[in-house]
Amino acid sequence: MSKRLAVQHAENMRELGGYETKDGRKVAARKLIRSASINHIDEKDQIYLQDYGIKRVVDFRSLEERESQPDKTIPTAENIFLPIFPIEETDTASASPKKMLERMQEGIQATQQMIEVYTHFVTDAHVRGQYRKFFDLVLDNQAPEQSLLFHCTAGKDRTGFGAMLLLSSLNVPQEMIMQDYLATNRYLKKVVQEMYQKAEQAGVPANALHGIEDMMLAKEEYMQTSFDEIKKHYGTIDQFINEGIGVSPQEIKDLQKIYLV
């Protein structure tokens, strides 16, 4: 069971600490935090996160998302911009809710877009390279009582895939990883309501509003799309992390040394 952090003005912010590995160890607490946007946190939240040990914030969002809803600062924490998808417009799928809403208006169903996103997590070389940079940051988080927070807009897709990679590297069972992914749905009710409002304001037809749910919920079929692509191209998740992301067996040992207790 994921532990939600006690912040008042950020959604889906929770620990990866506490998950048990296949060999009976546990992921260390106060080391890896996943979250939705942190553009609304107030001074009380900022102080809480500082005291929690947040030393780095990794922002997976697009440049447009980052500029329109900039992260609030956490005292003593470095903020690192690491957009998972290319900044320049390409034919790569976008996980930006705004871009997805625009494509929904063009008639492209949300489910189709989500399948594209979770396919590109595996097949797109740029995306894989960005997650390699993420692993570099995670490997550099060695100091005790020092936490790294990573987020996108909803903390669901780009963040969810990153969490899957980390938990897989730490030898957490796949069924537990899927539970962590689906736990997002307990924490996004407020965000989904906001997305409905934005969709209505953007002129999305009433009969298409159900697509908001397809876009905003974590669905097993989405992550399974990535698992299927990994199996197709790499065989196993471990091989994907090694060959596709570029994380060496020694780096995996280093990760486990840092994050497992």
Side-chain angles (χ1 to χ4, degrees), residues 101 105 197-204:
L101 283 171
Q105 288 180 279
Q197 293 173 354
K198 289 180 180 179
E200 289 177 327
Q201 293 169 2
V204 175

Side-chain angles (χ1 to χ4, degrees), residues 224-242:
Q224 190 60 49
T225 296
S226 293
F227 288 151
D228 291 344
E229 288 294 320
I230 287 170
K231 184 176 181 180
K232 175 181 175 182
H233 295 285
Y234 297 93
T236 67
I237 295 175
D238 288 346
Q239 287 175 293
F240 172 67
I241 291 171
N242 178 217

Side-chain angles (χ1 to χ4, degrees), residues 3 6 30 40 65 69 76 92 104 114 180 182 187 196 204 207 217 219 224 230 234 245-246 249:
K3 174 192 172 186
R30 294 190 174 225
H40 291 306
E65 289 170 289
Q69 295 182 319
T76 74
T92 299
M104 285 168 60
M114 297 307 305
D180 177 77
L182 295 175
Y187 303 120
Y196 266 95
V204 175
N207 62 358
L217 290 181
K219 295 189 175 184
Q224 190 60 49
I230 287 170
Y234 297 93
I245 304 296

